[in-house]
Amino acid sequence: ESYVRSIPQAQYYRNVLMQGYFVPPSILEGLENFEIRPHDIFIITYPKSGTTWTEEIISLIYNGGDTKKVQKKLLIFRVHHLEVGRPIGHLRFLRKLRSPRLMATHLPLDLIPKQLREAQCKVIYVMRNPKDNVVSYYHHHQISTSLGNYTGSWDDFLTLFLKGHLVYGSWFDHVLSYWKFHQQHPEKVLFISYEELKMDLERMIERIANFLDRPLHPEAIKNIAHHCSFDQMKNNNMVNREQLPVTDFFNMSHTKFMRKGIIGDWKNYFTPEQNETFEKVCKEKMAGSGLHLVFEP
Ligand code: A3P
């Protein structure tokens, strides 16, 4: 339908809708056998769940909390996206990186490299409550050139989200399959949420650092938390996408990539009817998972 037509070079890769602008089939096809190293670190998220935030945190953890070391290098050159890159040479580029490689992906569990599905390295999965997640994804679709600068309605967008028809597929399938993955490999896969980061950033930085066997001094934790607050990151050109090697990635004349950064913005978008439908689908899909979703600050 019209959503799919609005996505540049839209393609279904093993039943999941992808944009081909930055995620070419040539990369996806090469991923199954992409080699994972024991010291790789992967951040895995459904889009708009706090990927950039977590990337900046782990980049700082690997720099011992020294914020000076990340002041002059764009985040996209410090944490590499697995499936996003040039049609030719991207995987070769990833293979040439020195360890430890810090990487990120939005791909559903079925589409990540086989060795990553076997948890051959540490993974941090970040979930965000789906109501705020869809609001953020809606705005992202408007600013993002690679997603066709969405001009459709909020109501249509919400319906597509609930049906799992957006780029990267169903939020529910994504979260539930990685939740299971975490339960199967608890020492290898850390499962955290945007809301936990928001509510106690210092404690979460400590948890992430300990999980990565890179414990930090309390002073370093404080520095990272300050550097990674929303206000700091919003004004930090190394992470806020205002400064990129290619300038037509985003049209940020109305909304910024660092948009609001809060829990509960969904209340400004959901009508009572939309909320009722959403709750119903959400309850059905999440039943029995044991996952706890936080919708309020
Ligand atoms: P909003 O659109 O709700 O503001 P991703 O990096 O996965 O694309 O996620 C982007 C979302 O994370 C945006 O949400 C963005 O504002 C928010 N975000 C980024 N850095 C943040 C921070 N330091 N604190 C809180 N939210 C942050």
Side-chain angles (χ1 to χ4, degrees), residues 64 73 128 153 167 178 214 227:
K73 196 169 174 187
R128 186 176 192 181
S153 73
V167 167
Y178 280 110
R214 302 236 164 185
H227 179 95

Side-chain angles (χ1 to χ4, degrees), residues 13-293:
Y13 189 73
R14 308 209 351 233
N15 291 325
V16 182
L17 181 64
M18 305 292 296
Q19 48 100 346
Y21 198 83
F22 294 129
V23 183
S26 58
I27 293 180
L28 293 170
E29 282 154 13
L31 285 181
E32 176 66 13
N33 294 315
F34 180 77
E35 254 178 68
I36 298 300
R37 304 178 195 154
H39 294 291
D40 288 340
I41 303 300
F42 268 90
I43 294 170
I44 308 186
T45 59
Y46 190 80
K48 310 319 287 177
S49 307
T51 326
T52 314
W53 196 4
T54 314
E55 287 176 7
E56 186 68 349
I57 292 169
I58 65 160
S59 177
L60 274 160
I61 290 174
Y62 274 81
N63 281 293
D66 187 349
T67 53
K68 277 193 243 61
K69 290 199 177 142
V70 302
Q71 262 160 9
K72 293 204 179 96
K73 196 169 174 187
L74 283 173
L75 179 61
I76 57 165
F77 297 131
R78 290 182 269 126
V79 180
H80 305 276
H81 276 238
L82 181 67
E83 73 275 22
V84 182
R86 282 170 298 153
I88 297 167
H90 178 64
L91 296 182
R92 197 181 327 128
F93 165 76
L94 294 179
R95 280 196 291 267
K96 279 197 188 147
L97 291 170
R98 271 184 302 158
S99 291
R101 297 183 296 187
L102 307 184
M103 291 190 275
T105 181
H106 297 311
L107 289 172
L109 186 66
D110 296 344
L111 301 190
I112 61 175
K114 179 167 176 289
Q115 295 183 347
L116 189 53
R117 287 199 305 275
E118 294 165 351
Q120 295 203 18
C121 70
K122 286 191 178 165
V123 170
I124 300 169
Y125 186 85
V126 190
M127 166 182 84
R128 186 176 192 181
N129 86 62
K131 294 183 190 174
D132 283 329
N133 205 142
V134 61
V135 169
S136 184
Y137 208 16
Y138 169 65
H139 287 99
H140 188 73
H141 267 71
Q142 298 177 330
I143 66 173
S144 173
T145 315
S146 63
L147 292 171
N149 300 108
Y150 183 75
T151 53
S153 73
W154 156 245
D155 193 60
D156 287 347
F157 193 84
L158 187 58
T159 304
L160 289 166
F161 179 87
L162 285 177
K163 289 186 173 162
H165 290 175
L166 296 174
V167 167
Y168 284 109
S170 159
W171 179 94
F172 299 99
D173 294 351
H174 206 279
V175 164
L176 289 171
S177 59
Y178 280 110
W179 174 240
K180 213 186 241 169
F181 184 53
H182 154 74
Q183 290 173 318
Q184 287 161 348
H185 306 277
E187 328 73 43
K188 282 300 187 67
V189 184
L190 181 70
F191 194 99
I192 60 173
S193 71
Y194 179 97
E195 291 75 24
E196 288 175 299
L197 291 171
K198 192 76 201 174
M199 291 190 288
D200 196 344
L201 186 54
E202 287 190 19
R203 193 181 69 89
M204 291 309 287
I205 291 169
E206 186 178 18
R207 246 183 97 187
I208 296 170
N210 291 343
F211 168 74
L212 297 173
D213 292 321
R214 302 236 164 185
L216 296 165
H217 288 293
E219 209 42 44
I221 294 175
K222 281 209 163 56
N223 284 344
I224 299 178
H226 174 72
H227 179 95
C228 294
S229 68
F230 182 72
D231 290 337
Q232 289 291 319
M233 283 190 53
K234 190 176 172 63
N235 295 314
N236 178 351
N237 279 345
M238 296 300 110
V239 303
N240 65 12
R241 310 288 205 278
E242 308 268 340
Q243 194 179 306
L244 289 172
V246 178
T247 50
D248 66 348
F249 280 18
F250 295 113
N251 174 359
M252 295 205 270
S253 47
H254 297 298
T255 307
K256 302 285 183 200
F257 184 89
M258 294 292 168
R259 193 183 61 90
K260 269 200 179 167
I262 60 168
I263 306 171
D265 192 36
W266 61 271
K267 290 184 183 167
N268 298 315
Y269 293 86
F270 279 63
T271 66
E273 298 76 47
Q274 288 169 340
N275 196 36
E276 205 174 296
T277 313
F278 198 99
E279 287 280 334
K280 197 164 155 271
V281 175
C282 198
K283 268 212 188 83
E284 248 170 57
K285 300 259 191 191
M286 305 303 284
S289 70
L291 256 178
H292 176 59
L293 302 177

